[in-house]
Amino acid sequence: MKIIARIHSEFPEKFGIPRQSGLVDDLRAEIVFEPEYRNPDALRGLEEFSHIWLIWQFSEAVRDTWSPTVRPPRLGGNTRMGVFATRSPFRPNPVGLSSVRIDHIERHTPRGPVITVCGADLMDGTPIYDIKPYLPQADCHPDAAGGFTATHPREVLEVHIADKWLHRIDPAHRAGLIGVLAQDPRPSYQNDPDRVYGMDFAGYRVRFAVEGNQLTVCGVSSGGGKGSKR
């Protein structure tokens, strides 16, 4: 398996990344190809599709061992399910699959061809193994069963950001941040209304608390990035 590209997103760390692709369409990310694959001809015809599949590596979850069962956060982190019944990153092969929307394609840039996509659930720098077009006539199954994810839906939160914090955020990143916060970045088993959480996003350090179905931002500072303390 060769790495053909890497994605550049607003998430320097895993915390806060949406749990599935497509949940926050306002999130934009760039797919930049490795030098060996910077051939514009490889993208010929891709502009005719609206969505693509990304096959990528859980680069922060590579390990030599595996477990047949995992504890999905959706079930509170206590119930074990078979690894192949989940999308856990801790798998025999650390491979992820995401469906994202194509925003636009630039074929000739100083970095070679670049694909800008919306709705990605990947950390900045994640290696990509392959890109395939999404085919609605084959890939969409409206009547498919959702297993335990359908019986334990994740509640969308109401996000409150005071103007003094909102004005610190570049307007280009506001909708994406609000969408991420509404998906509730906390682990499912954490529900302490007095706890303040911290998340790095688009170069900002965002602090927030959650009570009931309401998330309140209580601080925004610049300089968020990998290695920041939570």
Side-chain angles (χ1 to χ4, degrees):
M1 296 284 282
K2 294 184 178 180
I3 297 170
I4 66 163
R6 293 183 184 272
I7 198 162
H8 295 281
S9 72
E10 306 296 356
F11 296 99
E13 297 181 332
K14 292 184 292 183
F15 186 82
I17 296 177
R19 292 169 177 81
Q20 302 294 336
S21 59
L23 293 179
V24 185
D25 189 68
D26 288 305
L27 286 178
R28 281 174 169 72
E30 292 182 330
I31 298 171
V32 179
F33 290 87
E34 296 292 281
E36 182 181 355
Y37 301 100
R38 292 179 181 176
N39 188 330
D41 287 340
L43 304 183
R44 187 183 301 169
L46 189 61
E47 70 279 355
E48 299 176 13
F49 297 89
S50 63
H51 292 71
I52 53 177
W53 288 108
L54 303 179
I55 301 172
W56 48 278
Q57 181 193 56
F58 283 108
S59 52
E60 298 296 302
V62 177
R63 54 179 61 185
D64 295 327
T65 60
W66 74 286
S67 171
T69 61
V70 295
R71 294 182 291 183
R74 181 71 66 88
L75 298 179
N78 297 315
T79 302
R80 285 196 170 273
M81 301 291 288
V83 64
F84 300 128
T86 75
R87 295 191 175 186
S88 167
F90 305 109
R91 323 184 67 78
N93 292 306
V95 176
L97 180 68
S98 297
S99 173
V100 297
R101 179 173 64 84
I102 298 174
D103 185 76
H104 64 276
I105 300 173
E106 298 173 274
R107 283 182 169 74
H108 304 283
T109 80
R111 298 176 293 171
V114 176
I115 306 173
T116 299
V117 298
C118 298
D121 56 340
L122 284 72
M123 190 173 72
D124 185 54
T126 294
I128 296 175
Y129 288 134
D130 203 3
I131 297 170
K132 300 180 185 293
Y134 178 96
L135 306 178
Q137 68 271 29
D139 297 339
C140 181
H141 303 279
D143 298 326
F148 66 84
T149 65
T151 56
H152 293 78
R154 188 80 176 185
E155 185 178 15
V156 177
L157 300 179
E158 182 179 340
V159 178
H160 292 265
I161 306 180
D163 287 344
K164 66 176 180 179
W165 304 127
L166 188 64
H167 290 159
R168 293 191 179 187
I169 301 168
D170 187 320
H173 298 304
R174 291 175 186 174
L177 174 61
I178 292 172
V180 168
L181 294 175
Q183 291 295 325
D184 195 350
R186 303 172 301 161
S188 298
Y189 50 84
Q190 293 184 1
N191 193 27
D192 182 357
D194 296 322
R195 178 169 180 174
V196 175
Y197 299 84
M199 181 183 77
D200 293 331
F201 178 83
Y204 301 98
R205 184 67 175 168
V206 181
R207 300 171 68 244
F208 64 91
V210 181
E211 184 171 1
N213 70 336
Q214 180 173 306
L215 183 149
T216 302
V217 172
C218 49
V220 174
S221 58
S222 59
K226 206 162 189 177
S228 297
K229 298 299 181 182
R230 191 170 288 122

